Amino acid sequence: MTLRRKIAIIIAASIGGLLLVIYLLARVILLASFEHLEQDDTRRNLERAVNALGEELDHLTATTTDWAYWDDTYTFIQGENADYVEANLIDEVFVNLSLNLALYVDPSGKIVFSKAFDLDHEQEIPLSAGLNNYLSPDGLLLSNADSSSLRRGIIVLDDGPMLVVARPILTSAKQGPSGGTLIFGYRLDEAWIARLAESNRVSLAMRLWDDRHLSADFRIVRTLLSGQSPTVIRTLGDNSIAGYTLITDINGHPALILRADFPRRIYAHGWSTLTYFMILMLGLLVFVGVVLLLLLEKTVLAKTQMGTLLEHSSDVIILTHPDGTIKRVNPAFKRMFNGMAQHFDGQPLSVLFDAKLDPPLTDILHTVVEKREGQQVDVSVQNKAQNQVEASMVLSPIWRGNGRVSEVFCSLRDITAQKRLEEQLRKTLAREMELNDLKSRLISIVSHELRTPLATIQLANEALAEYADRLTDERKQEKRYQIKSAIQRMVFLLEDIVTLNRAESGKLKLELLPFDLVSLCQTIVDNIRVSIRHNLTFSLSNDDACSEVCMDQRLVQLIVSNLLSNAAKYSPPGHTVYLDLKCEGEESVIQVRDEGIGIPPEEQRRLFEPFFRAGNVGAVTGTGLGLTIVKQAVEAHKGTITFESQIGVGTTFTLRIPNKVKGGCE
Ligand code: ATP
Ligand code: MG
């Protein structure tokens, strides 16, 4: 897995973890406060419903008070107002006052008048059976402590709960003594609950405390409600919340449970707030993650990857700015060039290379930076051990998101061994070709050079065998001479080849012995003089010659004979061939000069190559081996050979050979 991917995964996991923590905290803090708010709101709404009940009781109290403190009522309870009932307690009055019950009780506890009224059907109904439980003389309703006493509250009858208010009956001026007790009642039936719910815009339900058929939630709540905690708030699923309150009867006993249901708007609002908050956080964290990744990419990742590449590459790597100044190098660079790589910081890349590159480095960098194309160039650099190193340098552009090249990545690979091998191969190949060429030239020349003397021998031999009786002694002598010189020519040729072969294979061993160079040269000149056919003059000067030398006599003879033979071969009749011997210090200087055809200037450089013959030799025969052997033999003596030549003027060969060649004659 790449470092980039690992970091991306770590950032993503961190964002995920952070989001989870934020979600949990937000849920605990935010939703808890929303739930708290919701409970407060529910409690307030529940109080509103309970207050409505109180208002109802206040209204009933006002009506009861009006009627209790009234002269007509006072006289009626004392039995003096017979028309009272007819005039005041008719059905319409019950409807107008919203009364379900009217009880007139005299001070002895006797009910003077009672009427139960069904407001829904607007008709009188029988008194509820349970009413008597509240009408005992010492009961709360009938005990008038003083003239202004007020007893009011809820009573639970067989047919349901009822609000009741009891007032002592007084005159309109609130004078007593009390004529009895007036009790008005108002039933808390389903219709009343529905009206209350509608006016308060809540869903309300009311149950008797000791109802045996309570639903599950009321049953649970009944166990939780008490005088100390008269209100309980409970959620009814995700969509609604309910507040329950205990309502006691006139005696302070639990009588009713009132429930108000509300939709969970605040809670839902809390959830949507939490959702928006989390979406916002997600967006924010993703943004932070992306920015972080980009920053890491720019500042750390790229450098880390580049650093790893630089650290572990066995190739020399140089990072440069686009202008070619060195920015950073790797340990391989330090190993090759210098431990103090800082010296190179800010230096142009070209300081590393000895020779100017072709094409110039600026052109190469331009192509890399402008065209964003990699380039390869072979360079020669000097390492810290001052050795020349051949290297292949590859320059690659590095660009970032904006497409502009920010760095150039140069890697140098040491190809010295490869170059050497190539050079060696090239030389071997050239040598092979040269040898091949030599071989074919040798075969062609040797075959040609052997065929001619062999033909001469054959012809001379046939003439001697077949026409011996007809030939004069002189002709016979001539034929024998022809055979002898042809054989000698072949022997020389073979000797030349053997000598050359030895020289080329380094087996040319010198047999160093002291001898007189002047007399050797004299003998050679004499031999040449008799062997040539045409008319030439030979001049030997030896006035300043060294007397005795220590050289390989056979090879010196070969050298001088070849040079004199050439001078004779390539000189027209009537001219002179000069052999000058001199002694200069420790060296013998042998000079062979002729007035012959000369050597064309353009061919002079090839003169010592085996089988080379100049283009102006004409019909003069030869193998082209003579000078090659001469050069090898001179060099075997640690001597030198030079020449000067001019077409039509003549040629001069100058040899310088140590008089006493090292390793012999001591
Ligand atoms: P051989 O092997 O029989 O000597 P060669 O004389 O042709 O044959 P070299 O002696 O090696 O071969 O000489 C090489 C060539 O150099 C000659 O063929 C000739 O073209 C040229 N050359 C050598 N000496 C002279 C000279 N004195 N004057 C003019 N040309 C010369
Ligand atoms: Mg020759």
Side-chain angles (χ1 to χ4, degrees), residues 496 561-563 565-567 569-570 613 621-627:
D496 276 359
S561 310
N562 260 302
L563 293 177
S565 146
N566 281 351
K569 270 162 68 174
Y570 304 113
R613 303 201 71 218
T621 58
T623 60
L625 286 175
L627 283 181

Side-chain angles (χ1 to χ4, degrees), residues 217-237:
D217 66 313
F218 275 101
R219 272 208 307 279
I220 294 167
V221 164
R222 188 164 61 183
T223 62
L224 302 174
L225 287 170
S226 66
Q228 282 75 37
S229 59
T231 304
V232 167
I233 309 291
R234 289 194 75 222
T235 54
L236 305 174

Side-chain angles (χ1 to χ4, degrees), residues 243-260:
Y244 300 84
T245 190
L246 169 65
I247 297 172
T248 53
D249 69 3
I250 197 162
N251 297 317
H253 300 135
L256 302 169
I257 302 172
L258 182 67
R259 184 183 79 185

